[in-house]
């Protein structure tokens, strides 16, 4: 990492301000050559962590911009190296000129994620914190922002460091037993070790089980819209999304496959799935669609069961109720703009909420969205959750190795067998923090970052 790098850290396109960031051993001297503070002093002689106004000139001394700049000395910077940020006006032509002059002066263009990669390699952050930076940049809801911020604050790290500390202590005790086999292992120590292992397994398991919620944060919470044909499922999907996502006709069975859409709110993202109408059908294609509908319901976090408020319940409606019986569900009585003929006769108790609305007029749609958000937030947790499949896989493998270690103690295995499994768990946890991760995995993680971060 001897090279000094530079890149624009703001999004492409014209804007009021653009940030050009430099990092590396020559960052301050390179900026010193082009940026001339208004007070007449050289930039490098000024106080760090203080913003200065001045003139940015090209290599020939021609003024390119009047802007501000500051520098931070390593290792107390984001990357752990000397860092400079130049805040110029947001013209893309200007940014290109600033960067081309820096590059001609010997500064190298930064690769995707290279600033954060240097922060990780210089010990300024753990690998999971670096991944949280990427999550924060790509966050599309307030829930994603809060979780990524919690990761950056160290919510996950506290648990991992605590577990790793206890396991390392166990390993040192067992190594003593391996080094002095004649003395054997104190039975009390074995019992205590088993307790520690079970506690660590529980804590890792609790973290691992948050992965489903983590996937929901990134991909959207799966909400299945179900019902018999012609109750207005597709119309409801279109009304929720504010655009025509699904084809709507008066002919039953129009929807043959799952139509998917995302409803983004400031708080969260819903992954909506409009399904084929559930009924008995002789049409092979329609039957395949119904099978897919039933499968989607079995995997749903929440079901929105749609009924035609202008028609009495029939056997197809009852089948929908049966399919949703073990799923958190909301009953939507659609077509409330028409004379009502639907009577639940006590069956509404099977649902968490019952909402009357009209997908045609839009009346009641806002109420449904509010109920969806409330219902989903009710199951939310303030703890940090895992949103990353790589991290979840490492947690799963760590728990498996600790289970093996605990079983080995119970079966009276030799200390070296127990140590081998605990060290396997430590290696898996180290893949999350970055202490034992392979170079190609690190490269892959940072390649997904944007340039300039």
């Amino acid at each position: 990492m001897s090279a000094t790098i530079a890149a624009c850290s703001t999004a492409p396109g014209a804007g009021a301000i653009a940030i050009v960031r430099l990092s590396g051993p020559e960052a301050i001297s390179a900026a010193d050559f082009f940026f001339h503070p208004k007070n007449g002093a050289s930039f490098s002689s000024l106080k760090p962590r203080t913003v200065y106004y001045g003139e940015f000139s090209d290599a020939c001394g021609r003024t390119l911009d009047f802007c501000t700049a500051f520098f931070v000395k390593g290792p107390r910077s984001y990357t752990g190296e000397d860092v400079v940020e130049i805040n110029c006006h947001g013209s893309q032509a200007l940014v290109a000129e600033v960067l081309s002059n820096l590059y001609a002066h010997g500064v190298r263009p930064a690769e995707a994620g290279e600033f954060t990669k240097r922060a990780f390699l210089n010990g300024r952050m753990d690998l999971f914190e670096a991944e949280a930076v990427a999550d924060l940049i790509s966050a599309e809801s307030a829930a994603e922002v809060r979780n990524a911020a919690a990761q950056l604050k160290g919510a996950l790290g506290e648990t991992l460091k605590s577990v790793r500390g206890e396991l390392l202590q166990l390993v040192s005790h067992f190594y003593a037993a391996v080094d002095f086999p004649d003395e054997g292992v104190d039975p009390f120590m074995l019992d205590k070790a088993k307790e520690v292992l079970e506690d660590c397994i529980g804590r890792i398991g609790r973290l691992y089980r948050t992965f489903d919620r983590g996937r929901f944060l990134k991909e959207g919470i799966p909400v299945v819209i179900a019902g018999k044909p012609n109750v207005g499922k597709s119309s409801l999907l279109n009304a929720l999304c504010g655009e025509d996502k699904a084809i709507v006709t008066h002919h039953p069975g129009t929807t043959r496959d799952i139509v998917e859409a995302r409803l983004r709110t400031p708080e969260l993202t819903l992954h909506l799935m409009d399904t084929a109408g559930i009924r008995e059908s002789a049409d092979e294609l329609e039957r395949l669609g119904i099978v897919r509908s039933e499968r989607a319901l079995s995997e749903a976090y929440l079901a929105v069961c749609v009924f035609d408020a202008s028609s009495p319940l029939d056997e197809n409606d009852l089948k929908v109720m049966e399919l949703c019986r073990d799923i958190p569900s909301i009953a939507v009585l659609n077509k409330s703009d028409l004379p009502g003929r639907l009577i639940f006769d006590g069956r509404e108790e099977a649902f968490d909420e019952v909402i009357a609305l009209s997908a045609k007029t839009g009346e009641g749609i806002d109420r449904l969205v509010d109920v969806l958000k409330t219902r989903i937030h009710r199951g939310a947790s303030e703890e940090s959750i895992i949103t990353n499949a790589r991290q979840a896989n490492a947690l799963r493998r760590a728990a498996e190795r600790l289970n093996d270690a605990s079983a080995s103690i119970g079966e009276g295995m030799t200390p070296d067998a127990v140590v081998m499994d605990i060290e396997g768990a430590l290696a898996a946890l180290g893949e999350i923090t970055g202490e034992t991760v392979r170079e190609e995995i690190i490269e892959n993680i940072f390649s997904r970052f944007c340039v300039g971060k």
Side-chain angles (χ1 to χ4, degrees), residues 418-430:
V418 178
V419 166
M420 184 173 66
D421 283 321
I422 296 176
E423 288 185 333
L426 283 167
L429 295 176

Side-chain angles (χ1 to χ4, degrees), residues 85-415:
E85 286 195 3
I86 299 164
N87 302 299
C88 60
H89 289 92
S91 157
Q92 292 303 286
L94 172 59
V95 170
E97 280 295 305
V98 169
L99 287 172
S100 66
N101 276 274
L102 289 170
Y103 297 154
H105 195 70
V107 177
R108 174 172 67 74
E111 298 172 359
E114 191 170 2
F115 291 100
T116 305
K117 182 181 177 182
R118 290 186 175 206
F120 163 66
L121 294 175
N122 288 324
R124 295 293 291 170
M125 61 176 64
D126 290 323
L127 190 58
F128 65 84
E129 291 173 318
E131 289 177 292
V133 171
D135 288 344
L136 195 55
I137 292 170
S138 62
E140 295 181 340
S141 69
E144 286 183 85
V145 168
R146 285 192 294 269
N147 188 65
Q151 301 273 32
L152 273 174
K153 194 175 179 181
L156 175 60
E158 288 175 10
T159 300
L160 293 179
K161 286 172 184 174
S162 173
V163 169
R164 279 179 60 83
E166 292 183 30
L167 294 178
L168 285 169
Q169 225 175 5
L170 272 186
V171 167
S172 66
H173 286 309
F174 276 103
Y175 265 128
V178 171
D179 291 339
F180 302 99
D182 293 339
E183 296 183 15
V185 184
D186 184 349
F188 175 77
M189 192 196 103
L190 286 175
D191 290 341
K192 184 63 178 174
K194 201 166 172 53
E195 283 180 24
V196 171
L197 288 173
E198 294 301 324
D199 177 63
C200 291
I201 291 166
R203 291 157 73 187
I204 291 172
R206 283 192 292 276
L207 264 181
Y208 176 75
R209 287 190 292 275
T210 66
F211 180 51
D212 277 343
R213 294 208 307 277
R215 284 192 300 113
F216 294 164
L217 277 183
K218 281 195 159 185
E219 300 167 13
I221 297 163
V223 177
V224 172
I225 302 173
K228 70 182 182 184
N230 263 24
V231 293
K233 299 185 301 299
S234 297
S235 296
L236 178 60
L237 176 74
N238 293 340
L240 285 168
C241 295
E243 58 180 306
D244 292 339
K245 290 284 187 180
I247 297 172
V248 177
T249 74
H250 293 294
H251 301 289
T254 300
T255 302
R256 299 294 182 92
D257 206 347
I258 294 174
V259 179
E260 302 182 49
R262 276 175 169 72
L263 174 62
R264 303 191 192 281
T265 75
E267 297 86 3
L268 47 80
T269 299
L270 302 180
H271 178 195
L272 301 173
M273 289 170 272
D274 174 27
T275 58
I278 294 171
R279 65 171 177 175
E280 294 297 326
S281 175
D283 184 290
E284 185 177 354
L285 283 177
E286 188 177 359
R287 280 205 314 273
L288 287 172
I290 293 167
V291 168
R292 289 189 178 186
S293 299
E294 293 175 358
R295 187 184 307 128
L297 274 172
S298 70
E299 298 171 355
Y301 182 86
L302 184 67
V304 174
C305 302
V306 185
F307 302 93
D308 183 348
S310 66
S311 301
L313 290 174
D314 63 21
E315 60 183 13
N316 291 322
D317 290 314
L318 297 179
K319 185 176 181 181
V320 172
M321 289 185 182
E322 178 63 23
L323 288 170
C324 296
R325 185 179 60 181
D326 298 324
I327 307 168
S329 53
I330 296 169
V332 165
L333 313 185
N334 190 27
K335 306 184 184 180
S336 63
D337 52 311
L338 301 177
R341 297 176 59 197
L342 176 66
I343 299 174
F344 260 164
D345 196 22
R347 293 186 178 92
E348 65 272 12
E349 293 179 2
F351 299 98
D352 298 306
E353 301 274 354
V354 178
I355 300 169
L357 58 77
S358 170
K360 182 178 179 180
T361 67
E363 183 179 358
I365 293 294
D366 289 343
R367 165 68 180 150
L368 174 60
V369 172
D370 287 342
V371 168
L372 286 171
K373 289 191 291 188
T374 301
R375 175 67 198 168
I376 288 164
H377 280 309
R378 197 177 298 160
S381 169
E382 292 302 316
E383 67 182 357
S384 178
I385 64 177
I386 300 295
T387 61
N388 184 303
R390 184 190 73 81
Q391 295 171 356
N393 181 50
L395 287 170
R396 177 186 57 76
R397 287 186 284 111
E400 287 173 354
R401 296 300 296 268
L402 292 182
N403 273 310
D404 290 343
S406 180
S408 294
I409 291 175
E411 294 166 7
M413 301 283 283
T414 56

